[in-house]
Amino acid sequence: MPTIIDNIIPSIREDKCVKCGLCQRVCPANGHKDISRIPEVFACWNSDASVRRRSTSGGMFTLFAETVLDMGGVVFGAVFDLETRTVVHKRAETVDEILTMIGSKYVQSRIGDTYRRVQTELLAERPVLFTGTPCQCAGLKSFLRDVPDHLYLLDLVCHGVPSPSVLKVYLDERFPDSAIKYINFREKNPSWECSSMKVVTEKQEEYISDMHSDPFMRLFAGNYDLNDCCYDCKYTNFSRYGDVTLGDFWGYLSESFSLRDTNKGISLVIVSTDKGRYLLDRIKPMAVCTEKTIEEAITGNIILTKPSLRAKDCSVFWNEFLAQPNLQNLSALKEKPITPTLKHRIRLCLDKNFFLMPDCLKDRYRRIKTKNAVRKKNDTKQ
């Protein structure tokens, strides 16, 4: 059911309810998945430079999806619907169709009847790759109740999902009379680490703005417009519902010249099950993969240990937005944009040139990063 801010939240039809309690028993938000094995962590990127370039991070989703297609399967993932200017889950069984699923979409996707369509494919004995947020993967598992071996789940390192209404207002303000031809929330311009929002219309109008300046990305990164449940997310940990988890490998240490960070995008790949390991082993010949540690993954992805923190003036933002739905006069956007600090730039430089350090400094630097990662992880227990 859509809310006034256009988020989709579950609701109970009281006129249809028979009080069986089944919805409460299967709702993933009411349960907790205990970790069944210590996950394996990898830094990876697609060996195909063109695929890596147009992907949000290292281009690994394409390899996982193509592998399942090669098995005679189908893929379900998020696609930006250019006509409705919303993100929806769709089905793909060709390489051309999965191209529309490449790249992060920073807005809540419409699942619709996707779970039923997944079930239909599974009953036909077709391998299925479902990709989505951790809560969407957990929801699919709860819907199916019995997860077959030919279902592969790929969840994401998720910061939280912004309201679709904010994205719609943002696009309508900039392109009120132009149909959108292309949109990329993370265009690698000027680079992977400082990407940009890019929109191209049918009239060949082009808009591009870096993540520190673009108003939609600023609201997202500042945690103003996320779904309420995202601030109390149960899935920001290593007890993953996906067989494989994908994200950006922020904080990657360049172990050698050949494995250095060239700012073209590196994927964080977390393998949590035997099925996940099977898929990764199949795609390794088409990728560059280096095994890493959980602490290294946490260093650049605090979201793996705790949910995003609600912006202090979040209520002010929503009051202003709902009173006058536009992004022109929001108090949240009048503040000076947050840009990378000198300390952050120095850390990036050290990470990129880690392979040049003498061994004694490597060990010390690694210990410092590990100590910081453990501290961040333990902070969530307090």
Side-chain angles (χ1 to χ4, degrees):
M1 179 184 72
T3 65
I4 191 171
I5 58 176
D6 210 22
N7 284 323
I8 303 298
I9 58 174
S11 62
I12 297 174
R13 287 281 303 274
E14 295 294 345
D15 59 324
K16 302 289 185 181
C17 180
V18 296
K19 310 298 182 184
C20 68
L22 179 60
C23 60
Q24 294 181 349
R25 290 198 298 273
V26 301
C27 180
N30 293 333
H32 175 69
K33 179 181 183 296
D34 292 323
I35 191 167
S36 56
R37 63 186 274 181
I38 303 298
E40 300 172 273
V41 176
F42 298 88
C44 306
W45 59 82
N46 196 316
S47 297
D48 186 327
S50 63
V51 175
R52 185 184 183 189
R53 188 181 308 113
R54 67 172 176 260
S55 302
T56 296
S57 50
M60 295 301 291
F61 162 74
T62 303
L63 291 177
F64 283 109
E66 289 177 346
T67 297
V68 173
L69 293 185
D70 290 343
M71 295 161 58
V74 295
V75 178
F76 289 86
V79 173
F80 187 86
D81 188 304
L82 297 173
E83 184 175 342
T84 62
R85 299 186 174 187
T86 59
V87 175
V88 296
H89 259 67
K90 290 191 175 182
R91 173 184 178 277
E93 57 178 339
T94 68
V95 173
D96 285 343
E97 288 174 332
I98 66 171
L99 292 179
T100 61
M101 299 176 179
I102 292 176
S104 298
K105 293 93 180 169
Y106 294 129
V107 69
Q108 186 177 22
S109 67
R110 284 353 192 209
I111 285 290
D113 64 349
T114 297
Y115 291 169
R116 293 192 183 279
R117 298 180 71 189
V118 169
Q119 186 179 51
T120 299
E121 299 290 352
L122 293 173
L123 290 174
E125 298 296 323
R126 296 192 71 179
V128 173
L129 174 68
F130 176 88
T131 178
T133 61
C135 55
Q136 289 173 334
C137 289
L140 177 58
K141 276 191 168 183
S142 294
F143 174 80
L144 296 173
R145 304 180 73 177
D146 184 25
V147 179
D149 290 339
H150 54 294
L151 172 63
Y152 300 91
L153 295 175
L154 192 158
D155 69 1
L156 308 170
V157 178
C158 180
H159 177 88
V161 290
S163 163
S165 64
V166 176
L167 178 64
K168 187 176 186 305
V169 168
Y170 164 82
L171 292 174
D172 289 348
E173 283 183 354
R174 277 155 184 76
F175 312 102
D177 304 313
S178 302
I180 293 176
K181 179 182 178 181
Y182 170 86
I183 182 170
N184 190 347
F185 293 77
R186 288 274 303 279
E187 185 82 10
K188 290 175 179 172
N189 183 346
S191 66
W192 169 52
E193 289 163 352
C194 186
S195 56
S196 300
M197 170 71 87
K198 181 177 181 180
V199 182
V200 180
T201 71
E202 293 286 356
K203 297 179 181 179
Q204 298 307 311
E205 300 168 304
E206 182 175 303
Y207 167 85
I208 187 163
S209 180
D210 70 73
M211 59 189 296
H212 303 298
S213 304
D214 180 76
F216 180 81
M217 294 304 293
R218 287 181 60 191
L219 292 172
F220 168 62
N223 302 334
Y224 285 97
D225 57 350
L226 307 184
N227 199 331
D228 271 348
C229 62
C230 297
Y231 301 114
D232 188 34
C233 181
K234 311 297 182 186
Y235 309 101
T236 51
N237 50 59
F238 280 90
S239 296
R240 310 304 299 183
Y241 278 80
D243 301 297
V244 175
T245 300
L246 288 184
D248 293 279
F249 206 120
W250 305 124
Y252 170 83
L253 291 178
S254 299
E255 301 281 355
S256 66
F257 181 79
S258 62
L259 296 174
R260 71 193 186 282
D261 176 8
T262 56
N263 217 349
K264 295 178 181 178
I266 300 173
S267 294
L268 168 64
V269 179
I270 302 172
V271 176
S272 299
T273 68
D274 291 336
K275 287 194 293 183
R277 184 62 199 235
Y278 168 74
L279 287 182
L280 182 63
D281 287 343
R282 286 194 57 157
I283 68 176
K284 272 188 173 181
M286 289 87 76
V288 176
C289 296
T290 307
E291 190 161 6
K292 295 290 186 176
T293 66
I294 289 178
E295 287 73 25
E296 285 180 271
I298 292 173
T299 298
N301 282 285
I302 188 62
I303 203 68
L304 285 169
T305 67
K306 60 183 179 182
S308 294
L309 183 65
R310 190 191 305 265
K312 291 182 179 179
D313 50 348
C314 186
S315 60
V316 174
F317 159 75
W318 280 118
N319 288 337
E320 292 177 346
F321 181 80
L322 294 175
Q324 191 174 5
N326 65 63
L327 306 188
Q328 302 299 321
N329 301 307
L330 294 174
S331 300
L333 295 177
K334 291 180 180 178
E335 300 292 331
K336 184 178 179 181
I338 298 176
T339 55
T341 62
L342 177 60
K343 180 179 179 181
H344 177 75
R345 295 177 187 276
I346 292 174
R347 182 187 61 77
L348 285 179
C349 183
L350 291 173
D351 289 350
K352 290 177 184 294
N353 295 284
F354 179 75
F355 63 96
L356 296 175
M357 295 183 186
D359 289 341
C360 58
L361 285 183
K362 280 184 179 180
D363 291 340
R364 184 175 181 182
Y365 187 63
R366 198 187 293 274
R367 284 198 301 271
I368 292 172
K369 288 178 71 75
T370 300
K371 182 179 179 180
N372 289 337
V374 172
R375 175 180 55 79
K376 291 178 182 179
K377 182 178 180 180
N378 291 338
D379 282 347
T380 64
K381 300 178 181 179
Q382 297 177 1

